Amino acid sequence: MIVTVIPAVTGAMVLDDIGRDEARRRAVEELIKPEYQQESLAERIFRTIQDFVDGLTDSAPKGVAGGVFALAIVLLIVAALVALIAWQARRATRAHRAAADGLFGPRERTAAEHRAEADRLAGESRWSEAIRERLRAIARDLEHRAIVAPQPGRTADELAEAAGRELPPFAAGLAAAARLFDDVTYGEVPGTAEGYRTMADLDEGLRAARPAARATTPAGAP
């Protein structure tokens, strides 16, 4: 047997000594009342949080020490929620800004300039930035050699897809490079020396590559 508190229709609180099944039935009946159905989502969330806080307070040891303990728990929960919201907001803002700038960012550079910047950043062990610059060098080089057409706002995935069609042997490497670029740019995954070396090796391999259709075209053919 359990003792359950059920709100009465008049607003008063009624104590009944009832069984578990009866308590469940009465709780369901209470929740389907019109006043609950008309409750907004924000009000429902607020009520849920309030019930949770009240539960913590009721279960805490009585007295000043218990009240301080319950308050500390509530403050920790609130701080965690605020931190989570702030992190999500920063991530969304960063992703939106990066998407607006496209693969290359706001500054126009040549492939050679991107490579030089990537090497400089790698020398300072700034691997995430170095990885981004090296993929930008790859993209500029492919555009300069007309393997892929220039496209404002192109993403790393779109570059990998377009270049992979023209250079099938490098399709898997390009797709992996795009994922690495996205991880260090949007996913907050830290770059590594190994990741940079992989990107640099791909860059060197692509610089000597030619599309299959062009490679098989006889010299002097139109």
Side-chain angles (χ1 to χ4, degrees):
M1 302 291 287
I2 59 175
V3 177
T4 304
V5 179
I6 302 294
V9 176
T10 59
M13 305 302 290
V14 180
L15 293 178
D16 283 334
D17 188 8
I18 58 177
R20 186 181 303 276
D21 292 339
E22 179 66 12
R24 185 181 297 110
R25 185 186 65 79
R26 294 192 184 186
V28 171
E29 290 177 351
E30 182 70 20
L31 290 175
I32 62 175
K33 289 182 178 180
E35 55 266 31
Y36 283 95
Q37 298 301 312
Q38 296 173 1
E39 192 176 39
S40 69
L41 178 60
E43 290 171 339
R44 191 174 305 171
I45 292 174
F46 177 78
R47 180 169 55 80
T48 302
I49 295 174
Q50 187 176 38
D51 291 344
F52 176 71
V53 172
D54 290 343
L56 281 178
T57 304
D58 292 341
S59 63
K62 301 303 180 182
V64 176
V68 171
F69 173 78
L71 178 60
I73 294 296
V74 171
L75 291 177
L76 285 174
I77 294 173
V78 171
L81 289 174
V82 170
L84 177 62
I85 293 171
W87 176 76
Q88 290 283 9
R90 287 196 303 270
R91 184 176 181 181
T93 300
R94 182 166 51 251
H96 177 74
R97 184 170 58 250
D101 292 335
L103 174 62
F104 296 108
R107 182 175 175 182
E108 186 80 13
R109 285 175 172 170
T110 65
E113 289 172 336
H114 281 299
R115 288 192 186 98
E117 180 66 6
D119 288 339
R120 183 186 70 80
L121 293 167
E124 299 175 1
S125 297
R126 295 163 62 181
W127 302 116
S128 295
E129 296 168 86
I131 287 169
R132 287 194 288 267
E133 286 299 318
R134 198 73 187 208
L135 186 64
R136 288 164 179 161
I138 290 173
R140 283 296 187 208
D141 186 71
L142 292 173
E143 289 181 355
H144 177 73
R145 292 190 288 145
I147 293 176
V148 298
Q151 177 182 319
R154 170 183 275 140
T155 66
D157 290 332
E158 290 170 343
L159 170 71
E161 184 179 354
R165 287 195 299 267
E166 299 295 327
L167 303 168
F170 292 91
L174 285 161
R179 288 194 298 271
L180 179 58
F181 179 91
D182 289 343
D183 285 344
V184 301
T185 304
Y186 313 125
E188 297 186 347
V189 176
T192 63
E194 181 181 1
Y196 179 72
R197 284 194 296 270
T198 299
M199 192 75 77
D201 290 345
L202 177 64
D203 185 18
E204 293 303 318
L206 287 169
R207 293 176 73 178
R210 297 178 59 196
R214 299 182 197 177
T216 57
T217 300

